[in-house]
Amino acid sequence: MRIGIDARCLLDENLTGVSRATLEISRALANTHPNWEFFLFVSGSKRVQSRLPQDWPINVNICSVRYPNKLVSLGFWLKWWSLDALIDQPIDCWLVPKFSFFNTNSPYVLIVHDLAFEFLPETITIWKDFYHRLLNIKKQSGGASRVLVPTARVAADLELLWKIAPDRIEVVSLGGGSRGQVGNVELCPVESSGAVESSGTVESSGAVGIKDELSNRPYFLSLATIEPRKNFACLLAAYARYKAMVPTGPRLVIAGAIGWKNRGIKQLLAEHPNRKEIELLGFVKEENKMNLYRQAVAFIWPSLYEGFGLPPLEALTEQTRVISGSFGGGLEVLGQLMTTPSNPGIILFNPYSVSDLTEAMIKITDLSKMIPNELELLIVQTFSWENTARKVGEVIVDEVGER
């Protein structure tokens, strides 16, 4: 079997969310299907292509063109060329891991991670909305041999909003967290955009850690791109209430790349009564992120909508309790893990309620740091990238046959 993967998102400067999932699925597919041959398509300058993660299995081939991705996308949109023509290889099936400009005459399987832009259009930029219209994402989904989604919630959304037949949708759960190295948390400084300031500092050794006054003090952690859907406004308001009731409570650490529409967050931070208790770390490198989870009192995930939500699982894998919003596919994922009500590793709250989140923060600090052992085992059994890859492989074989 010869499988093409549109891997252009793996050249993103910072791998988060969809690009991270694409990397894990691609590697796991190659490892779980050693007799298949994989062709990863990327485009861009030599400098851009140097971002591509290394250490691929031997059955993975990198197929690259040096054209800028915007030009490649324009060519796909205008039907100047196809994925098959650019890599000059016969392909049995393409895996398209996200909405993007592409063109192929071969069968393709499309991954739809969520429809947040449909439910929360106010959280995306005008440019992103225009981009979706140019992509004609409904047509992309309609042309796929099969559409893969991470949760039943996203499947129901596709059926309801886009009228995609249920038999063309396959729920394929994503993997959980993978353990990173133990040691100092290594961080990249936040880009200077004027939107949100950064307090991260780069040490001469190349490792960037939590500031000295924070490293030995407990903290709540929230990790996500700073943009409206991640609901940092609710988090900051709840933290102010929490500190008013528990003045000696943990600090708040926010990690994540600068996103969009975040001027309101800048203002909330500037006016926050506990600004000195809030640490902004910027983007955290993948290999060091787990230690940041591990040291936290609790991980807070206030997002308004997620198709799946990797960070809460990553935090639980590192034995850190989770406070999560109760909407979207994330509720479905975490609901499978809520088996110990007397000693919960997960507390859910209404992400539109500041008081709900405040109460959850108070409750979770009264619990022991370690999550129940049975919850750890359940995560390992339920969520793994190997299981994801096997399921994706089954779908491909079902569509094009074993070759």
Side-chain angles (χ1 to χ4, degrees), residues 345-387:
I346 304 161
I347 298 178
L348 300 179
F349 73 98
N350 180 350
Y352 290 93
S353 172
V354 172
S355 60
D356 255 22
L357 177 51
T358 305
E359 291 174 11
M361 295 167 77
I362 293 173
K363 181 178 179 179
I364 212 160
T365 50
D366 290 336
L367 299 171
S368 65
K369 171 66 171 67
M370 302 297 286
I371 65 173
N373 290 332
E374 59 266 33
L375 181 54
E376 278 191 272
L377 180 61
L378 187 58
I379 294 170
V380 173
Q381 292 174 339
T382 308
F383 303 101
S384 77
W385 292 110
E386 289 74 19
N387 289 340

Side-chain angles (χ1 to χ4, degrees), residues 267-314:
Q267 183 176 352
L268 288 173
L269 280 167
E271 298 173 354
H272 202 282
N274 309 101
R275 180 62 185 89
K276 292 183 179 180
E277 296 286 301
I278 301 172
E279 189 81 5
L280 300 179
L281 298 183
F283 178 76
V284 181
K285 289 186 177 181
E286 191 65 37
E287 62 268 24
N288 299 301
K289 188 168 61 178
M290 299 308 160
N291 198 55
L292 187 59
Y293 286 126
R294 193 178 301 126
Q295 295 173 4
V297 171
F299 177 72
I300 304 177
W301 185 244
S303 179
L304 296 173
Y305 179 99
E306 294 292 329
F308 186 84
L310 288 174
L313 284 182
E314 293 175 336

Side-chain angles (χ1 to χ4, degrees), residues 7-24 27 51-54 56 188 223 225 257 283-287 289 310 314:
R8 287 174 290 168
C9 64
L10 298 185
L11 301 183
D12 291 348
E13 193 166 356
N14 298 321
L15 296 187
T16 62
V18 172
S19 54
R20 158 81 194 289
T22 300
L23 174 63
E24 299 286 0
R27 280 183 168 157
R51 299 173 187 162
L52 184 70
Q54 304 300 309
W56 292 95
C188 294
L223 187 152
T225 300
F283 178 76
V284 181
K285 289 186 177 181
E286 191 65 37
E287 62 268 24
K289 188 168 61 178
L310 288 174
E314 293 175 336

Side-chain angles (χ1 to χ4, degrees), residues 77 101 126-137:
W77 187 54
F101 288 106
I126 294 175
W127 159 245
K128 182 64 74 172
D129 180 62
F130 178 64
Y131 178 71
H132 286 157
R133 293 176 188 274
L134 283 180
L135 284 175
N136 199 348
I137 50 184

